[in-house]
Amino acid sequence: SRIPQAHPLRRIKTLAETALARISEGLGKKFSASGRPSVPPERLLKASILMALYSVRSDRLFCQMLDFNLLFRWFLDMKFDEPTFDPSAFTRLRSRFVDTDIAQKFFDQIVGLAKENDLLSSEHFTVDGTQIEAWASHKSFQPKMSPDSDKGGSDAVAESDQNSELNVADGESGDQGTEHEKAPKDEMVDFKGQKRCNDTHQSTTDPDARLMRKGKGKEAKLCYGGHALMENRNGLLVDIQVELATTTETTVAKTLLERAIELGFDPSTLGADKGFHTKDFVRFLREKGIAPHIARVEGRKTPGLDGRTTRHAGYKVSQVVRKRVEEIFGWGKSIGGLRKTRLIGLAKNKFNSYIIGAAYNLVRTANLLCPA
């Protein structure tokens, strides 16, 4: 009775519980039938949705707020006198499910609910990428102990043909960083004159973070790459992926499109910015029967992307609508917590990105089904 009937969280709660009910069997398989009862995983996943919706910055802070916030307790189906759970419950949840596809399945169920309500376009899509700052400082970016300490890093850098010039920080001169000893934890470090790149250095805080910059003249940061596939009708998120920052946008875009096709979508056009204007990616789209509505780089001639594509009105519409994907990144960074990761490691950040993506879709779907 304390929650207004028109409160938007009522619609979000109904959608979230419907999606969780469809994956509840998979959730139960990770828990023992004996021993001390744990916090229901459905409750923890709903709590993670609340953290994204209300910009709660940590598990511990959420558990403190749960002590007095009646709205949170109602959303989690907790009694008023029921004790709050310990923050370590979130840690155990991630340790159990981080190597599974549970978060992805939950996200897919939210997308499925939007599809059942005819809110998704099955033909017109937009893809884009952004940088997500890692929970690690420049001070932690130190010389590798051995060449094999980061086996995945060199391969990822080799794949990144387009971004190879972005792997090095602003200081290009001086000796290789591997010749320098590691700095003490609390000592001031001067990086001027040192060449520091992902081949020779690695973060001691988050080994999966990569040093990248968005373009020439921009500052280099330890970060991940966030990638989103959006449908163009209502701007809903169809898929989201977090990868190493050195993985090219076109490589991830291919994966997102192939997965969308597996889920039953039939894309006919794909909007994107100039970063996706490459011969390889345009050829991939043409082979899939997808029209490349990609912003063209002036002076670059690419078979399959010329005036015969850009002259149509649909191309101009895609170029206007594709900018709505920035709303997804904007919401995720300003509200959902994607501006800077709260977790360490690629697997945990992938898990968290699906939760934040599901929260965004829940808000959009609820508003579309019951407009104010």
Side-chain angles (χ1 to χ4, degrees), residues 137-145 149 177-178 180-185 187 189 191 194 196-197 200-205 222:
S137 70
H138 279 273
K139 193 176 182 179
S140 72
F141 198 59
Q142 299 187 11
K144 295 180 181 179
M145 295 299 294
S149 62
T178 51
H180 294 268
E181 296 182 356
K182 287 190 175 182
K185 182 177 180 180
E187 184 177 316
V189 180
F191 304 127
Q194 296 183 22
R196 304 163 68 240
C197 67
T200 59
H201 287 63
Q202 186 181 47
S203 171
T204 56
T205 302
L222 286 167

Side-chain angles (χ1 to χ4, degrees), residues 7-24:
H7 198 288
L9 211 57
R10 285 189 176 272
R11 302 191 295 271
I12 292 174
K13 185 174 188 286
T14 301
L15 291 170
E17 289 178 346
T18 302
L20 286 170
R22 296 179 180 181
I23 64 169
S24 60

Side-chain angles (χ1 to χ4, degrees), residues 26-79:
L27 292 172
K29 291 180 179 179
K30 284 287 182 178
F31 291 83
S32 173
S34 60
R36 187 173 58 184
S38 64
V39 180
E42 293 89 348
R43 178 173 290 179
L44 291 173
L45 285 173
K46 286 201 296 182
S48 300
I49 292 292
L50 282 175
M51 291 175 67
L53 292 175
Y54 287 90
S55 306
V56 183
R57 66 179 182 271
S58 71
D59 302 338
R60 186 172 299 277
L61 177 60
F62 178 83
C63 291
Q64 291 174 0
M65 296 174 67
L66 194 58
D67 258 337
F68 57 82
N69 194 313
L70 297 183
L71 181 66
F72 285 8
R73 284 182 168 269
W74 165 82
F75 190 84
L76 299 181
D77 298 315
M78 295 177 65
K79 298 177 181 179

Side-chain angles (χ1 to χ4, degrees), residues 94-341:
R94 297 187 192 103
S95 65
R96 290 175 188 269
F97 293 114
V98 71
D99 295 326
T100 69
D101 58 351
I102 286 295
Q104 188 180 54
K105 286 182 177 179
F106 176 58
F107 174 84
D108 288 343
Q109 290 298 331
I110 302 297
V111 175
L113 290 173
K115 193 173 183 179
E116 291 171 11
N117 288 279
D118 198 28
L119 298 177
L120 295 178
S121 167
S122 186
E123 299 176 346
H124 307 292
F125 296 87
T126 295
V127 68
D128 202 4
T130 189
Q131 281 188 355
I132 301 173
E133 191 175 347
W135 193 265
S137 70
H138 279 273
K139 193 176 182 179
S140 72
F141 198 59
Q142 299 187 11
K144 295 180 181 179
M145 295 299 294
S146 66
D148 297 329
S149 62
D150 185 18
K151 296 180 180 179
S154 298
D155 295 338
V157 173
E159 291 179 5
S160 180
D161 294 331
Q162 293 176 329
N163 297 333
S164 59
E165 74 276 12
L166 305 182
N167 282 335
V168 183
D170 295 335
E172 296 290 344
S173 60
D175 298 328
Q176 289 289 342
T178 51
E179 298 179 3
H180 294 268
E181 296 182 356
K182 287 190 175 182
K185 182 177 180 180
D186 297 324
E187 184 177 316
M188 295 297 293
V189 180
D190 183 9
F191 304 127
K192 189 175 181 180
Q194 296 183 22
K195 184 176 181 180
R196 304 163 68 240
C197 67
N198 294 314
D199 288 334
T200 59
H201 287 63
Q202 186 181 47
S203 171
T204 56
T205 302
D206 188 350
D208 288 334
R210 296 291 182 268
L211 190 66
M212 293 288 289
R213 59 185 178 211
K214 296 189 69 173
K216 294 181 179 179
K218 301 290 186 179
E219 71 278 14
K221 295 181 179 180
L222 286 167
C223 58
Y224 290 92
H227 308 268
L229 181 67
M230 179 192 76
E231 60 83 34
N232 287 359
R233 181 184 298 171
N234 289 308
L236 285 163
L237 188 59
V238 174
D239 204 353
I240 186 170
Q241 192 67 264
V242 171
E243 294 291 346
L244 297 178
T246 49
T247 307
T248 60
E249 291 182 324
T250 54
T251 300
V252 182
K254 292 176 183 178
T255 304
L256 295 177
L257 281 171
E258 289 173 344
R259 185 167 176 271
I261 294 172
E262 291 177 359
L263 292 175
F265 293 98
D266 185 23
S268 60
T269 68
L270 181 73
D273 59 26
K274 293 181 180 179
F276 293 85
H277 186 184
T278 65
K279 291 182 179 179
D280 177 67
F281 189 60
V282 171
R283 182 170 59 250
F284 168 81
L285 294 179
R286 288 298 184 185
E287 290 173 354
K288 294 288 185 181
I290 303 172
H293 287 183
I294 300 172
R296 297 171 66 186
V297 177
E298 187 176 354
R300 182 179 295 178
K301 296 182 179 179
T302 305
L305 181 59
D306 50 32
R308 289 171 293 181
T309 299
T310 60
R311 68 185 178 184
H312 296 290
Y315 176 85
K316 296 180 177 62
V317 172
S318 290
Q319 287 301 297
V320 173
V321 176
R322 72 173 177 83
K323 297 174 183 177
R324 294 188 65 183
V325 74
E326 300 297 341
E327 297 178 9
I328 297 175
F329 292 137
W331 188 94
K333 290 186 176 184
S334 63
I335 297 176
L338 269 184
R339 186 190 66 81
K340 187 169 186 175
T341 64

